[in-house]
Amino acid sequence: MPQTALKIKDHIDLFNDPEYLEIFKRKREQFEDMPDADVVAKQADYINTMEYREKNFAREALVINPAKACQPVGAAYCAAGFEGTLAFTHGSLGCAAYFRSHLSRHFKEPSAMVCSAMTEDAAVFGGLNNMVEGLANAYALYKPKMIAVHTSCIAEVIGDDLNSFIIQSRDKGSIPADFPVAYAHTPSFVGSHIVGYDNMMKSILSNFWEGKDRKAGNGVNIIGGFDGYGVANAREIKDIIAAMGADATLLSDVSDIYDTPADGSYRMYDGGTPLEAVTKALDAKATISLQEWCTGKTLDFAKEKGQEVASFNYPMGLGATDDFLMKLSALTGKAIPESIAKDRGRLVDAIEDSLSWIHGKSFSIYGDPDFVYGMTRFILELGGEPAHLLSTNGGSEWEEKMKALLASSPFGASGQVWKGKDLWHMRSLLATEPSDYLIGSSYGKYLEKDTGVPLIRIGFPIFDRHHHHRFPTMFYKGGLRVLVTILDKIFDTIDEKTKVTGISYDLTR
Amino acid sequence: MDGMNPDVKAERKALIEEVLSAYPEKTAKKRARHLNVYDEGKPDCGVKSNIKSAPGVMTIRGCAYAGSKGVVFGPLKDMVHISHGPVGCGQYSWSQRRNYYTGTTGVDTFVTMQITSDFQERDIVFGGDKKLEKVIDEIHTMFPLNKGVSIQSECPVGLIGDDIEAVAKKKGKEHGKLVVPVRCEGFRGVSQSLGHHIANDAVRDWMLGKGKSKEFETTPYDVVVIGDYNIGGDAWASRILLEDMGLRVIGLWSGDATLAEIERGNKGKLNLIHCYRSMNYICRHMEEQYNIPWMEYNFFGPTQIAKSLRAIAEKFDDKIKAGAERVIAKYQPLADAVLAKYKPRLQGKKAMLYVGGLRPRHVADAYGDLGIDIIGTGYEFAHSDDYQRTAEYIKDATLVYDDVTDYELEKFIDKMRPDLVGSGIKEKYSTQKMGVPFRQLHSWDYSGPYHGYDGFAVFARDMDMAINSPVWALNKAPWKAA
């Protein structure tokens, strides 16, 4: 018997025991009716070939292991960063359950969200009654300061009109006449979670800005974009703002809501951008986005209102952070203080100390378009060589911009950009043209297993490692953290290789 | 706890009233029917179930797609399951249920993959059938060793009137392989429960007793295990016992299952069902159609395992009966050692459960074995027959909550202050913030197996480590302690 009370084995060890291995064998031989082992081995080899890769890239309809989620989860994430705001899914109830689980699994935090529980009858007659009743219940039970409604597939396909439904709900007394309800149409069959983020951000700003006169001031608004590290990066940006003494507002500040303390009470709302500040944000001189492809419509809207706009692509490391800080300084008229210059110097120092371990190594990267851009730019600074750069939700503009980035550095020469491709494409790429390392979300662990390319976990979602989101990835300090993450994997990989012979198994590096 | 204490009952009834008072009147009235305090001896738990959730509250329920793809079809390993529709549903359910399996993923098995038709706006406007055909063709190019394909339809597919059945027939014929259409759109029904039923119907109509899987010799000891999804290896920890007692598990649905095991499901002499809710439908069908009897069993905790092994053996001859006794005797020392180690640390603790399927009742006695009392329990998507079956497992004055909202659950936890809550990922972190130990009982909190004797050891260890972790005493800053 494999199990004893003295040392209890769970799934990690139990199923390596002979008794269980015997079960697997017997089951396979007698009942599974699976292909013969040689047939399986042949196919397993075949999927690593260039011939298979060509077939794989000829796919037109089938999507395998995509690195993107759907719009509403982005809308919900955006909404969570505003004071007392309750996300409301107008649709069938499974969607909200999935969005909540997805966010909870990444952040290891509660994720509050209600839904209008549409079923067959609502599919036929429309979801108006669900909205009227749902807003009344949500308002009474959860006492939010704002409700942010987004749609799921069902509401979009049958064409529910959120604006009209919310007006009718107000008329029927579900919510007070002046209670803020932002709403965004977020069809899951258009774009991805980054578009949903944009739609909700624009909707929330519209809700507070429309019909008001703008008195242009000197403030600046900063939007973080959909970011698995939004908690720590928000704190980072607030530290920078404070250090500069700048008049700046972070729009959708998720730093508290996805990082609430355990102190004996659960708070459904915590922190977030104050609603008053959202109103005031109309008067800002400019709105800056840290992620271009998360904020296209929002920036257009801010521009229409008379603001200057600027966007960045996940500012990480030296050059990208420099650009960002100088822009912020120019817009606010505040100098970049010595404390930030010191942070910069520390990152430079760290890179100098470690460059020999990264220089010339190749890195494949996948994820959201801004992340892949920012990460690639940082890899170039480190003397690494970008290899396969893939974004399932990246488009033609992204592709062009990526190519320009690669062309800007001799280290970019072998970089290949793959827009709209999925992780099964990436598998073929790594099997036929391997890079030394792979950078991306937890989903990359299957690629690491299949191709042997070590995975450096940076991205969204991170499900199988804990607390990464508590550390920043953006700006100088984030760059340092990312650098350490990369180096740890490189050193672990070297130790793994050298421990077999003991040669090069070095103590000091 | 004194089960018959009228004060406890009155207190809990008052708690229900208090919780209901926060709702608007209409919703309070609706919710009142789903909350009750159990009266010993009653044939059911006195709550309504399988009714639409109220809009605007946080229900913990999922949808029909989650029931079909997420539970029943997803673990079936040598078929490719298409999340047919937009990208989200497949993405959020990707690799999340921990249905363990053996095989070469992407070659002959496909469980931990996200295969989707990734609907775009044009598919909504022009219909998705053409795309679906192409998706199936491309699956056969990419994964030629697949045994078949299932089409798990998401909300838009049903709304735009696609004919996935026609596509399935056409493509099945063309490729000479099974293509199963499953109409599990998320808006159907009131929870994931209808998805289970729909999936069972698809098994009945397209798979059971059909297909081209190899012929094999049957024996009088052939059984099919139904409703075990092999979470954390549960099905293997169950299988080892059944095989040890002399039975032959010819199919296991659907954890680590192959298509052949489903197709030959009608060759068994007895169907053994663990998760009644998700697969009783197919058992009833096999009873009617093939005269195969079925029985429920419970492999959580030594009391129920032994009881179940004996009950299963009763359906066979003396050889199997002796086999059951041999297995029980073999594992009793392990069970005793586990209890000796953990019961003293857990005796008298109180737990609250809120899960789906069978767990709100089946695990009660496993906790009981460890000396832990269940003071509240409820189901996400039960029907009245589940609550009838629950009465057997729970004690007088147990709080019962059907389709509980997060608001109600939090209030119950806060007021009753159990020593442990067993529920899902959405409830985990809010409960822990309240200073209450928690274990996920959907995914076993990334542990397991929990079934069988090997699993019980893990279960006991996990409950101990949750409840007796030093951190719960450090929850409040000392300068803030009241």
Side-chain angles (χ1 to χ4, degrees), chain A residues 5 19 33 38 50 55 57 63 89 118 137 139-140 152 187 228 249 258 289 335 351 360 419 479 507:
Chain A
E19 278 159 292
D33 211 1
D38 56 329
M50 191 52 97
K55 282 186 185 174
F57 275 76
V63 173
T89 311
M118 288 170 72
N137 281 335
Y139 179 76
S152 71
T249 303
Y258 289 129
S289 162
I351 295 171
K419 67 168 166 154
L507 177 68

PDB file of all heavy atoms in Angstrom, chain A residues 5 19 33 38 50 55 57 63 89 118 137 139-140 152 187 228 249 258 289 335 351 360 419 479 507:
ATOM      1  N   ALA A   5      -0.088   6.899   7.157  1.00  0.00           N
ATOM      2  CA  ALA A   5      -0.479   8.091   7.904  1.00  0.00           C
ATOM      3  C   ALA A   5       0.736   8.926   8.298  1.00  0.00           C
ATOM      4  O   ALA A   5       0.635  10.125   8.521  1.00  0.00           O
ATOM      5  CB  ALA A   5      -1.267   7.702   9.147  1.00  0.00           C
ATOM      6  N   GLU A  19       1.618   0.606  -7.641  1.00  0.00           N
ATOM      7  CA  GLU A  19       0.222   0.155  -7.688  1.00  0.00           C
ATOM      8  C   GLU A  19      -0.617   1.000  -8.651  1.00  0.00           C
ATOM      9  O   GLU A  19      -1.498   0.495  -9.328  1.00  0.00           O
ATOM     10  CB  GLU A  19      -0.387   0.236  -6.296  1.00  0.00           C
ATOM     11  CG  GLU A  19      -0.035  -0.957  -5.441  1.00  0.00           C
ATOM     12  CD  GLU A  19      -0.194  -0.675  -3.965  1.00  0.00           C
ATOM     13  OE1 GLU A  19       0.602   0.141  -3.462  1.00  0.00           O
ATOM     14  OE2 GLU A  19      -1.094  -1.258  -3.344  1.00  0.00           O
ATOM     15  N   ASP A  33      -8.620   1.544 -25.647  1.00  0.00           N
ATOM     16  CA  ASP A  33      -8.718   1.514 -27.101  1.00  0.00           C
ATOM     17  C   ASP A  33      -7.998   2.714 -27.724  1.00  0.00           C
ATOM     18  O   ASP A  33      -8.471   3.328 -28.677  1.00  0.00           O
ATOM     19  CB  ASP A  33     -10.206   1.525 -27.516  1.00  0.00           C
ATOM     20  CG  ASP A  33     -10.418   0.772 -28.823  1.00  0.00           C
ATOM     21  OD1 ASP A  33      -9.431   0.246 -29.355  1.00  0.00           O
ATOM     22  OD2 ASP A  33     -11.559   0.748 -29.304  1.00  0.00           O
ATOM     23  N   ASP A  38       3.548   3.119 -30.941  1.00  0.00           N
ATOM     24  CA  ASP A  38       4.416   3.593 -32.034  1.00  0.00           C
ATOM     25  C   ASP A  38       3.699   4.639 -32.893  1.00  0.00           C
ATOM     26  O   ASP A  38       4.328   5.570 -33.394  1.00  0.00           O
ATOM     27  CB  ASP A  38       4.923   2.417 -32.877  1.00  0.00           C
ATOM     28  CG  ASP A  38       3.795   1.560 -33.432  1.00  0.00           C
ATOM     29  OD1 ASP A  38       2.746   1.468 -32.750  1.00  0.00           O
ATOM     30  OD2 ASP A  38       3.938   1.010 -34.532  1.00  0.00           O
ATOM     31  N   MET A  50       8.751  20.917 -39.416  1.00  0.00           N
ATOM     32  CA  MET A  50       8.420  22.088 -40.224  1.00  0.00           C
ATOM     33  C   MET A  50       7.174  21.827 -41.063  1.00  0.00           C
ATOM     34  O   MET A  50       6.361  22.717 -41.281  1.00  0.00           O
ATOM     35  CB  MET A  50       9.630  22.438 -41.107  1.00  0.00           C
ATOM     36  CG  MET A  50       9.539  23.775 -41.798  1.00  0.00           C
ATOM     37  SD  MET A  50       9.161  25.180 -40.704  1.00  0.00           S
ATOM     38  CE  MET A  50      10.793  25.833 -40.397  1.00  0.00           C
ATOM     39  N   LYS A  55       1.326  23.297 -41.910  1.00  0.00           N
ATOM     40  CA  LYS A  55      -0.115  22.980 -41.801  1.00  0.00           C
ATOM     41  C   LYS A  55      -0.756  23.810 -40.687  1.00  0.00           C
ATOM     42  O   LYS A  55      -1.869  24.298 -40.816  1.00  0.00           O
ATOM     43  CB  LYS A  55      -0.301  21.498 -41.463  1.00  0.00           C
ATOM     44  CG  LYS A  55      -0.125  20.563 -42.628  1.00  0.00           C
ATOM     45  CD  LYS A  55      -0.483  19.159 -42.154  1.00  0.00           C
ATOM     46  CE  LYS A  55      -0.216  18.137 -43.240  1.00  0.00           C
ATOM     47  NZ  LYS A  55      -0.430  16.760 -42.747  1.00  0.00           N
ATOM     48  N   PHE A  57       0.153  26.694 -39.541  1.00  0.00           N
ATOM     49  CA  PHE A  57      -0.029  28.108 -39.909  1.00  0.00           C
ATOM     50  C   PHE A  57      -1.028  28.285 -41.050  1.00  0.00           C
ATOM     51  O   PHE A  57      -1.442  29.412 -41.345  1.00  0.00           O
ATOM     52  CB  PHE A  57       1.324  28.751 -40.248  1.00  0.00           C
ATOM     53  CG  PHE A  57       2.030  29.243 -39.013  1.00  0.00           C
ATOM     54  CD1 PHE A  57       2.662  28.356 -38.149  1.00  0.00           C
ATOM     55  CD2 PHE A  57       2.027  30.596 -38.681  1.00  0.00           C
ATOM     56  CE1 PHE A  57       3.286  28.802 -36.991  1.00  0.00           C
ATOM     57  CE2 PHE A  57       2.646  31.053 -37.526  1.00  0.00           C
ATOM     58  CZ  PHE A  57       3.278  30.150 -36.679  1.00  0.00           C
ATOM     59  N   VAL A  63      -8.986  27.733 -33.587  1.00  0.00           N
ATOM     60  CA  VAL A  63      -8.101  28.442 -32.658  1.00  0.00           C
ATOM     61  C   VAL A  63      -7.753  27.503 -31.511  1.00  0.00           C
ATOM     62  O   VAL A  63      -8.638  26.878 -30.913  1.00  0.00           O
ATOM     63  CB  VAL A  63      -8.780  29.734 -32.151  1.00  0.00           C
ATOM     64  CG1 VAL A  63      -7.951  30.393 -31.067  1.00  0.00           C
ATOM     65  CG2 VAL A  63      -8.997  30.698 -33.309  1.00  0.00           C
ATOM     66  N   THR A  89     -22.803  42.247 -14.812  1.00  0.00           N
ATOM     67  CA  THR A  89     -22.848  41.599 -16.122  1.00  0.00           C
ATOM     68  C   THR A  89     -24.293  41.480 -16.564  1.00  0.00           C
ATOM     69  O   THR A  89     -25.079  40.806 -15.891  1.00  0.00           O
ATOM     70  CB  THR A  89     -22.256  40.172 -16.048  1.00  0.00           C
ATOM     71  OG1 THR A  89     -21.007  40.218 -15.384  1.00  0.00           O
ATOM     72  CG2 THR A  89     -22.093  39.578 -17.437  1.00  0.00           C
ATOM     73  N   MET A 118     -29.912  36.228 -17.000  1.00  0.00           N
ATOM     74  CA  MET A 118     -30.828  36.024 -18.127  1.00  0.00           C
ATOM     75  C   MET A 118     -30.907  34.537 -18.491  1.00  0.00           C
ATOM     76  O   MET A 118     -29.898  33.854 -18.561  1.00  0.00           O
ATOM     77  CB  MET A 118     -30.350  36.821 -19.342  1.00  0.00           C
ATOM     78  CG  MET A 118     -30.546  38.325 -19.176  1.00  0.00           C
ATOM     79  SD  MET A 118     -29.720  39.290 -20.462  1.00  0.00           S
ATOM     80  CE  MET A 118     -30.755  38.949 -21.885  1.00  0.00           C
ATOM     81  N   ASN A 137     -31.948  45.064  -6.832  1.00  0.00           N
ATOM     82  CA  ASN A 137     -31.333  44.149  -5.858  1.00  0.00           C
ATOM     83  C   ASN A 137     -29.895  44.543  -5.559  1.00  0.00           C
ATOM     84  O   ASN A 137     -29.474  44.585  -4.405  1.00  0.00           O
ATOM     85  CB  ASN A 137     -31.366  42.714  -6.395  1.00  0.00           C
ATOM     86  CG  ASN A 137     -32.726  42.062  -6.218  1.00  0.00           C
ATOM     87  OD1 ASN A 137     -33.494  42.441  -5.344  1.00  0.00           O
ATOM     88  ND2 ASN A 137     -33.030  41.092  -7.061  1.00  0.00           N
ATOM     89  N   TYR A 139     -28.385  47.373  -5.894  1.00  0.00           N
ATOM     90  CA  TYR A 139     -28.312  48.651  -5.178  1.00  0.00           C
ATOM     91  C   TYR A 139     -28.668  48.470  -3.693  1.00  0.00           C
ATOM     92  O   TYR A 139     -27.976  48.976  -2.808  1.00  0.00           O
ATOM     93  CB  TYR A 139     -29.256  49.670  -5.832  1.00  0.00           C
ATOM     94  CG  TYR A 139     -29.263  51.007  -5.147  1.00  0.00           C
ATOM     95  CD1 TYR A 139     -28.203  51.896  -5.315  1.00  0.00           C
ATOM     96  CD2 TYR A 139     -30.316  51.381  -4.303  1.00  0.00           C
ATOM     97  CE1 TYR A 139     -28.193  53.129  -4.672  1.00  0.00           C
ATOM     98  CE2 TYR A 139     -30.319  52.610  -3.664  1.00  0.00           C
ATOM     99  CZ  TYR A 139     -29.256  53.477  -3.842  1.00  0.00           C
ATOM    100  OH  TYR A 139     -29.246  54.686  -3.206  1.00  0.00           O
ATOM    101  N   ALA A 140     -29.730  47.702  -3.438  1.00  0.00           N
ATOM    102  CA  ALA A 140     -30.181  47.523  -2.056  1.00  0.00           C
ATOM    103  C   ALA A 140     -29.186  46.678  -1.251  1.00  0.00           C
ATOM    104  O   ALA A 140     -28.899  46.971  -0.097  1.00  0.00           O
ATOM    105  CB  ALA A 140     -31.554  46.854  -2.048  1.00  0.00           C
ATOM    106  N   SER A 152     -22.797  40.629 -21.873  1.00  0.00           N
ATOM    107  CA  SER A 152     -22.177  39.404 -22.359  1.00  0.00           C
ATOM    108  C   SER A 152     -22.885  39.013 -23.657  1.00  0.00           C
ATOM    109  O   SER A 152     -23.770  39.711 -24.125  1.00  0.00           O
ATOM    110  CB  SER A 152     -22.222  38.302 -21.300  1.00  0.00           C
ATOM    111  OG  SER A 152     -23.536  37.848 -21.139  1.00  0.00           O
ATOM    112  N   PRO A 187     -19.351  43.125 -26.511  1.00  0.00           N
ATOM    113  CA  PRO A 187     -19.570  41.806 -27.125  1.00  0.00           C
ATOM    114  C   PRO A 187     -18.300  40.963 -27.100  1.00  0.00           C
ATOM    115  O   PRO A 187     -17.224  41.449 -27.455  1.00  0.00           O
ATOM    116  CB  PRO A 187     -19.996  42.139 -28.557  1.00  0.00           C
ATOM    117  CG  PRO A 187     -19.543  43.539 -28.795  1.00  0.00           C
ATOM    118  CD  PRO A 187     -19.582  44.223 -27.469  1.00  0.00           C
ATOM    119  N   GLY A 228      -2.078  42.407 -15.261  1.00  0.00           N
ATOM    120  CA  GLY A 228      -2.035  41.440 -14.169  1.00  0.00           C
ATOM    121  C   GLY A 228      -1.205  41.912 -12.988  1.00  0.00           C
ATOM    122  O   GLY A 228      -1.278  41.358 -11.901  1.00  0.00           O
ATOM    123  N   THR A 249      -3.882  62.049 -11.579  1.00  0.00           N
ATOM    124  CA  THR A 249      -4.911  61.130 -11.095  1.00  0.00           C
ATOM    125  C   THR A 249      -4.791  59.809 -11.832  1.00  0.00           C
ATOM    126  O   THR A 249      -4.748  59.794 -13.066  1.00  0.00           O
ATOM    127  CB  THR A 249      -6.315  61.719 -11.377  1.00  0.00           C
ATOM    128  OG1 THR A 249      -6.387  62.995 -10.756  1.00  0.00           O
ATOM    129  CG2 THR A 249      -7.413  60.825 -10.837  1.00  0.00           C
ATOM    130  N   TYR A 258      -7.694  44.594  -5.338  1.00  0.00           N
ATOM    131  CA  TYR A 258      -7.124  43.265  -5.571  1.00  0.00           C
ATOM    132  C   TYR A 258      -5.953  42.964  -4.631  1.00  0.00           C
ATOM    133  O   TYR A 258      -5.077  42.172  -4.935  1.00  0.00           O
ATOM    134  CB  TYR A 258      -6.701  43.111  -7.032  1.00  0.00           C
ATOM    135  CG  TYR A 258      -7.872  43.019  -7.987  1.00  0.00           C
ATOM    136  CD1 TYR A 258      -7.958  43.834  -9.107  1.00  0.00           C
ATOM    137  CD2 TYR A 258      -8.906  42.113  -7.748  1.00  0.00           C
ATOM    138  CE1 TYR A 258      -9.043  43.752  -9.973  1.00  0.00           C
ATOM    139  CE2 TYR A 258     -10.001  42.031  -8.603  1.00  0.00           C
ATOM    140  CZ  TYR A 258     -10.052  42.851  -9.714  1.00  0.00           C
ATOM    141  OH  TYR A 258     -11.130  42.769 -10.566  1.00  0.00           O
ATOM    142  N   SER A 289      -1.966  57.278 -21.360  1.00  0.00           N
ATOM    143  CA  SER A 289      -2.240  55.853 -21.209  1.00  0.00           C
ATOM    144  C   SER A 289      -0.934  55.080 -21.157  1.00  0.00           C
ATOM    145  O   SER A 289      -0.038  55.307 -21.971  1.00  0.00           O
ATOM    146  CB  SER A 289      -3.076  55.361 -22.390  1.00  0.00           C
ATOM    147  OG  SER A 289      -2.997  53.955 -22.470  1.00  0.00           O
ATOM    148  N   ALA A 335       9.748  68.806 -12.255  1.00  0.00           N
ATOM    149  CA  ALA A 335      11.031  68.166 -12.568  1.00  0.00           C
ATOM    150  C   ALA A 335      11.036  66.720 -12.061  1.00  0.00           C
ATOM    151  O   ALA A 335      10.317  66.378 -11.122  1.00  0.00           O
ATOM    152  CB  ALA A 335      12.165  68.942 -11.919  1.00  0.00           C
ATOM    153  N   ILE A 351      21.629  46.001 -14.198  1.00  0.00           N
ATOM    154  CA  ILE A 351      21.809  45.446 -15.549  1.00  0.00           C
ATOM    155  C   ILE A 351      23.297  45.234 -15.821  1.00  0.00           C
ATOM    156  O   ILE A 351      23.704  44.187 -16.342  1.00  0.00           O
ATOM    157  CB  ILE A 351      21.167  46.362 -16.605  1.00  0.00           C
ATOM    158  CG1 ILE A 351      19.642  46.408 -16.415  1.00  0.00           C
ATOM    159  CG2 ILE A 351      21.496  45.875 -18.027  1.00  0.00           C
ATOM    160  CD1 ILE A 351      18.928  47.448 -17.272  1.00  0.00           C
ATOM    161  N   GLY A 360      22.905  38.103 -25.600  1.00  0.00           N
ATOM    162  CA  GLY A 360      22.943  37.119 -26.678  1.00  0.00           C
ATOM    163  C   GLY A 360      21.983  35.963 -26.526  1.00  0.00           C
ATOM    164  O   GLY A 360      21.819  35.168 -27.440  1.00  0.00           O
ATOM    165  N   LYS A 419       1.260  38.288 -35.343  1.00  0.00           N
ATOM    166  CA  LYS A 419      -0.019  38.869 -34.881  1.00  0.00           C
ATOM    167  C   LYS A 419      -1.152  37.868 -35.060  1.00  0.00           C
ATOM    168  O   LYS A 419      -1.155  37.080 -36.014  1.00  0.00           O
ATOM    169  CB  LYS A 419      -0.329  40.151 -35.647  1.00  0.00           C
ATOM    170  CG  LYS A 419      -0.626  39.888 -37.104  1.00  0.00           C
ATOM    171  CD  LYS A 419      -1.215  41.072 -37.816  1.00  0.00           C
ATOM    172  CE  LYS A 419      -1.120  40.767 -39.300  1.00  0.00           C
ATOM    173  NZ  LYS A 419      -1.991  41.330 -40.195  1.00  0.00           N
ATOM    174  N   GLY A 479      11.204  47.189 -13.569  1.00  0.00           N
ATOM    175  CA  GLY A 479      12.243  46.619 -14.418  1.00  0.00           C
ATOM    176  C   GLY A 479      13.211  45.768 -13.618  1.00  0.00           C
ATOM    177  O   GLY A 479      13.627  44.684 -14.046  1.00  0.00           O
ATOM    178  N   LEU A 507      29.237  28.141  -7.308  1.00  0.00           N
ATOM    179  CA  LEU A 507      28.653  28.795  -6.136  1.00  0.00           C
ATOM    180  C   LEU A 507      28.418  30.274  -6.387  1.00  0.00           C
ATOM    181  O   LEU A 507      27.375  30.815  -6.040  1.00  0.00           O
ATOM    182  CB  LEU A 507      29.580  28.617  -4.928  1.00  0.00           C
ATOM    183  CG  LEU A 507      29.100  29.332  -3.671  1.00  0.00           C
ATOM    184  CD1 LEU A 507      27.836  28.673  -3.138  1.00  0.00           C
ATOM    185  CD2 LEU A 507      30.164  29.357  -2.602  1.00  0.00           C
TER     186      LEU A 507
END
